[in-house]
Amino acid sequence: DWSSHSSADHYALLSFFGKLDYNYANKYYLSGSFRRDGSSRFHPDNRWGNFFSVGASWRISQEGFAEDAEWLDNAVLRASYGTSGNDKLIPRESNGKAGGEVLYAYQGLYGAETLFGLAGLKPSTAPTPDLVWEKNKQFNVALDFTIFRDITATVEYYNRESEDLLYYRSIPLSSSMGSITGMNTNIGTMRNSGFEFTISATALRARDFKWVIDANLSTLKNKVVELPSGDFWWANTVAQYRMEEGGSLYDIWAPHTVGVSSETGEMQYTYIKDDGTE
């Protein structure tokens, strides 16, 4: 019994990019950019994605009303909004599992197989002509400042929303795909938001010595905004997770424990009857 296997992967990305910056009186700054990307991993009808960004900043410390504030060395208020794209697909092996070579995702391909001494072809990838770019939309606003010459800090709020998320999703054997057990799909929309605080202060300064203390604090709120195909399950080596609209990507799905049995020493779990009662 013998078998042979070979494959080739050709990936192409073509990009066009333009950027514009404007500075007025070293106090007011504007910037904008536009990018157009074409990826061979998508069907020709969905191959191109358009992405842009806009930003503005105001150097408050350069204004006349801040000149008398000797404790204020620098202060900048900035905000930006931008979009970007992602075409990085999860690869799969020849047996359909994640982890091998990446082929043109939108194509349905066949592979040569030998079964019971007979040679033939069977599906190796499922066609996905409707697969599109994963799009990330990010907004942030921040205040950067330096006071008393030795203290620098940033306070920032961010909101990032990712739609048409790319994910390698398992499919049941009953789907008539033969040995294909998964496929790349766009599964929904997710949002991450929060605050970030950073501060750096010079605690000690000498002729040949300088001691700087840095601190950082951040918050994160994750929310699944949209799942067009309904609830989605995924797992890793740690736990099983359930994604549902309004929930979080990190919501663990596990039995509800009610403590350890004093008689057997084993963990006890809540049993839910068909009528929904415990």
Side-chain angles (χ1 to χ4, degrees):
D1 183 21
W2 62 274
S3 64
S4 63
H5 174 76
S6 65
S7 65
D9 179 17
H10 300 283
Y11 166 62
L13 178 69
L14 179 63
S15 302
F16 300 91
F17 179 77
K19 191 174 187 297
L20 178 66
D21 293 302
Y22 176 73
N23 168 17
Y24 178 74
N26 289 325
K27 290 190 293 186
Y28 312 106
Y29 303 85
L30 295 174
S31 65
S33 68
F34 178 79
R35 179 168 181 151
R36 180 170 171 82
D37 295 319
S39 172
S40 63
R41 288 174 175 161
F42 301 114
H43 188 274
D45 292 341
N46 303 315
R47 181 154 295 166
W48 291 93
N50 298 318
F51 312 103
F52 71 95
S53 68
V54 292
S57 61
W58 173 30
R59 196 172 181 185
I60 304 173
S61 54
Q62 289 292 96
E63 297 289 354
F65 61 79
E67 293 180 353
D68 296 332
E70 297 182 358
W71 53 271
L72 180 64
D73 300 295
N74 186 50
V76 177
L77 180 65
R78 55 183 171 85
S80 65
Y81 176 82
T83 63
S84 61
N86 175 31
D87 71 337
K88 291 180 175 61
L89 305 178
I90 298 177
R92 58 97 192 154
E93 295 174 352
S94 58
N95 62 3
K97 296 182 180 179
E101 73 274 9
V102 178
L103 301 177
Y104 296 109
Y106 67 90
Q107 295 179 334
L109 303 179
Y110 288 80
E113 294 287 340
T114 301
L115 183 63
F116 302 119
L118 300 176
L121 297 174
K122 73 174 183 179
S124 59
T125 60
T128 56
D130 296 328
L131 200 67
V132 298
W133 283 86
E134 178 182 303
K135 293 172 283 292
N136 299 304
K137 305 175 182 179
Q138 182 160 322
F139 167 78
N140 76 297
V141 59
L143 176 64
D144 305 312
F145 60 90
T146 301
I147 58 176
F148 302 112
R149 192 168 68 98
D150 289 326
I151 301 176
T152 301
T154 297
V155 180
E156 181 173 2
Y157 169 78
Y158 68 91
N159 185 303
R160 176 169 178 164
E161 186 167 294
S162 302
E163 62 182 31
D164 295 324
L165 292 166
L166 292 173
Y167 193 82
Y168 191 84
R169 185 169 188 172
S170 299
I171 57 178
L173 294 176
S174 58
S175 63
S176 300
M177 289 290 184
S179 62
I180 301 175
T181 60
M183 58 192 297
N184 281 286
T185 58
N186 299 109
I187 65 170
T189 302
M190 183 172 59
R191 179 186 301 130
N192 291 306
S193 60
F195 292 89
E196 291 187 355
F197 307 91
T198 60
I199 186 170
S200 176
T202 302
L204 181 62
R205 187 194 300 270
R207 186 179 62 179
D208 299 322
F209 180 79
K210 184 179 180 181
W211 179 21
V212 178
I213 300 175
D214 296 318
N216 175 275
L217 174 66
S218 62
T219 66
L220 170 64
K221 181 179 181 181
N222 176 268
K223 181 179 180 180
V224 178
V225 179
E226 182 183 13
L227 285 176
S229 58
D231 294 354
F232 181 74
W233 299 80
W234 67 285
N236 56 26
T237 57
V238 178
Q240 184 176 24
Y241 301 85
R242 178 184 180 183
M243 292 175 58
E244 58 181 348
E245 292 185 0
S248 168
L249 173 66
Y250 308 105
D251 289 343
I252 296 178
W253 187 260
H256 181 262
T257 64
V258 291
V260 177
S261 171
S262 59
E263 298 179 356
T264 64
E266 296 180 350
M267 187 66 70
Q268 300 179 109
Y269 300 94
T270 301
Y271 175 74
I272 307 298
K273 300 178 181 178
D274 293 339
D275 58 3
T277 61
E278 295 185 2

